[in-house]
Amino acid sequence: METLQELAGRISTISVSSTMKVAAEAERLRRGGADVVDFSAGEPDFPTPENIKRAAIDAIDQNFTKYTNAGGTEDLKQAICDRHKTDYGTAYNTKECIVTVGGKHAIFNLVQALIDPGDEVIIPVPYWVTYKDVVNYAGGKCVFVETDEQDGFQLTSAMVERALTPRTKLVMINSPSNPSGAVFARDQLERIVRVTHERGIWLMTDECYHRFLYDLEPFSMASLPAAKETVVVAGSLSKTYAMTGWRIGFVLGPAPVVGGIMKLQSHSTSNPTSISQKAAIEAVRGPQESVTTMLAEYRRRRDYVVARLRQIPGVKANEPQGAFYAYPNVSVAFRGAIGNSLQFAEQLLSEELVAVVPGEAFGTQEHVRISYATSMAELERGLNRLHQFIAKRA
Ligand SMILES: Cc1ncc(COP(=O)(O)O)c(C=O)c1O
């Protein structure tokens, strides 16, 4: 063979998701017999509710196992629009809705549909790891906006406004935030909608954790009058209904954006799995008690995790207002061989067999992400080990 051709340049602009890397290393150790406590997975530990599973089994029994429309069935799109209307008072129709293969796919497709090489995309820090890579893949330029840990990583409109340039094409908002659990103040979000609308800039609201709010009232930026033309919702059923493996997400937004995504989807994935789509209709139309039950359990765990973290000398921990992640500052333990969050996470895993995700995956250096979507017994075991690990160094 002559010299082998190289991979496409755009593939080198991205890297394997670091959250998945940590989970893979934890899994490797576990397979080797190690007693690992895994706080790295961003995945509900609850099973998918029975009524949803039943709907999927019925779909198979009824041979609903063929292609559907590439953008999802009309029934599911209508059900998603109805759910969003009930929860947030929006008024989307099925031409403004497309079903995707999970929330990640929704974000990937919408960024590919909106971003040209050189376009600037504003991303608040800490950010969900995928945003950066998806923008890079499209040839866009990430413009990171720092938030302040002292203020609970709150994003203000002023921060976004300072980062705007004539090249800004899109602002990506994730509230409740993965990794910080921050829920941005409603007045600031309203202002961000107005400011971006005035300038004709797209605004993505990633609503993956929208149903997991501990105290605040549910609110979607898409419900504001100015939102209809410029706001694009990226939604997911994965966490809300403990359906991570079923791969159902969606986009709600202006019909031209949905049309652009539809073109991409029609040549790539085609439809999300037909069986999952039937299950998804039951999820969004059926009883919602399972969501409330999960939220109550997450709250109990959040309170426990935050209290335990605050007992560790030198550790600073904000109280998450939503989602199921704590994002403590562990820099008190940065000494000797540990100089940053990556080294902290590696050392913690090899020494104490506790898997956490280093903050550098989310754009900060002094934090680690702890997912409390795991049992109280595991939380207790893992936090004991974390306490011991840090106390040795502080
Ligand atoms: C902030 C955020 N958005 C979107 C997603 C997408 O989830 P999925 O692709 O499983 O629906 C995730 C998953 O971890 C997330 O944390």
Side-chain angles (χ1 to χ4, degrees):
M1 185 177 30
E2 290 176 22
T3 319
L4 190 61
Q5 294 287 344
E6 287 179 6
L7 301 186
R10 65 182 174 282
I11 216 68
S12 65
T13 65
I14 58 177
S15 42
V16 174
S17 161
S18 29
T19 45
M20 291 188 178
K21 260 195 268 178
V22 178
E25 176 59 8
E27 181 53 26
R28 196 188 63 77
L29 288 169
R30 206 180 293 115
R31 269 203 314 275
D35 174 27
V36 176
V37 176
D38 191 356
F39 291 158
S40 71
E43 162 158 85
D45 56 319
F46 303 101
T48 306
E50 282 305 318
N51 60 317
I52 300 174
K53 292 196 281 194
R54 178 57 45 201
I57 293 165
D58 288 349
I60 296 174
D61 286 343
Q62 289 160 18
N63 296 315
F64 192 74
T65 52
K66 305 282 173 65
Y67 291 134
T68 71
N69 183 301
T73 64
E74 276 300 297
D75 285 353
L76 176 54
K77 287 194 276 187
Q78 189 59 57
I80 288 169
C81 294
D82 291 348
R83 176 86 256 147
H84 212 263
K85 181 178 185 184
T86 306
D87 291 341
Y88 309 111
T90 50
Y92 286 106
N93 63 48
T94 56
K95 291 194 175 49
E96 298 161 324
C97 177
I98 183 163
V99 187
T100 58
V101 185
K104 198 177 261 188
H105 189 220
I107 296 164
F108 183 87
N109 282 1
L110 83 84
V111 168
Q112 303 310 311
L114 295 178
I115 297 305
D116 274 323
D119 287 343
E120 291 182 5
V121 180
I122 294 181
I123 302 177
V125 182
Y127 46 77
W128 182 44
V129 55
T130 290
Y131 293 174
K132 174 171 64 65
D133 290 86
V134 162
V135 170
N136 286 339
Y137 190 74
K141 178 169 174 255
C142 297
V143 176
F144 297 112
V145 167
E146 299 293 333
T147 58
D148 193 346
E149 181 182 7
Q150 312 290 337
D151 300 327
F153 296 110
Q154 280 291 316
L155 179 74
T156 65
S157 179
M159 292 170 180
V160 173
E161 287 169 58
R162 278 198 293 275
L164 292 173
T165 77
R167 301 228 59 172
T168 309
K169 188 88 176 272
L170 171 69
V171 179
M172 299 177 87
I173 303 279
N174 175 219
S175 169
S177 152
N178 174 7
S180 73
V183 177
F184 303 146
R186 181 170 174 155
D187 63 329
Q188 297 302 318
L189 294 177
E190 289 178 350
R191 210 185 139 86
I192 292 169
V193 172
R194 279 201 303 278
V195 167
T196 47
H197 183 260
E198 268 161 31
R199 301 186 188 216
I201 294 168
W202 300 108
L203 176 60
M204 180 199 77
T205 163
D206 176 350
E207 301 190 343
C208 184
Y209 300 96
H210 251 216
R211 300 286 292 283
F212 296 138
L213 276 184
Y214 296 112
D215 298 304
L216 299 158
E217 288 295 306
F219 166 69
S220 170
M221 285 192 277
S223 64
L224 298 172
K228 214 52 209 273
E229 290 165 308
T230 46
V231 171
V232 187
V233 176
S236 167
L237 272 61
S238 297
K239 323 279 171 158
T240 312
Y241 302 103
M243 290 179 73
T244 42
W246 300 72
R247 311 310 300 139
I248 296 288
F250 58 88
V251 171
L252 295 169
V257 178
V258 166
I261 294 173
M262 179 65 187
K263 280 200 272 184
L264 182 55
Q265 215 157 286
S266 73
H267 292 296
S268 50
T269 52
S270 290
N271 62 277
T273 308
S274 59
I275 301 153
S276 294
Q277 289 191 59
K278 282 285 193 191
I281 294 179
E282 174 59 24
V284 296
R285 282 218 193 283
Q288 300 293 300
E289 281 78 29
S290 56
V291 185
T292 323
T293 309
M294 284 189 270
L295 178 60
E297 180 57 21
Y298 288 142
R299 178 196 300 276
R300 197 166 79 90
R301 297 175 188 176
R302 175 201 63 169
D303 294 346
Y304 175 72
V305 170
V306 171
R308 287 290 316 265
L309 287 171
R310 288 180 177 169
Q311 282 162 14
I312 307 175
V315 168
K316 287 177 264 169
N318 282 309
E319 182 175 72
Q321 301 302 311
F324 42 66
Y325 306 104
Y327 200 54
N329 184 318
V330 293
S331 58
V332 66
F334 290 5
R335 50 189 64 178
I338 300 179
N340 57 39
S341 66
L342 180 61
Q343 289 161 354
F344 180 97
E346 283 170 353
Q347 201 64 29
L348 179 68
L349 184 56
S350 63
E351 208 175 292
E352 294 287 348
L353 298 174
V354 176
V356 296
V357 184
E360 69 156 30
F362 310 104
T364 74
Q365 282 305 322
E366 301 190 331
H367 308 84
V368 292
R369 191 191 74 176
I370 293 176
S371 165
Y372 47 88
T374 187
S375 70
M376 279 300 249
E378 283 299 275
L379 288 172
E380 189 180 350
R381 253 158 43 88
L383 286 162
N384 288 345
R385 295 182 191 180
L386 180 71
H387 191 131
Q388 178 172 302
F389 180 80
I390 296 176
K392 266 195 253 165
R393 291 166 172 85

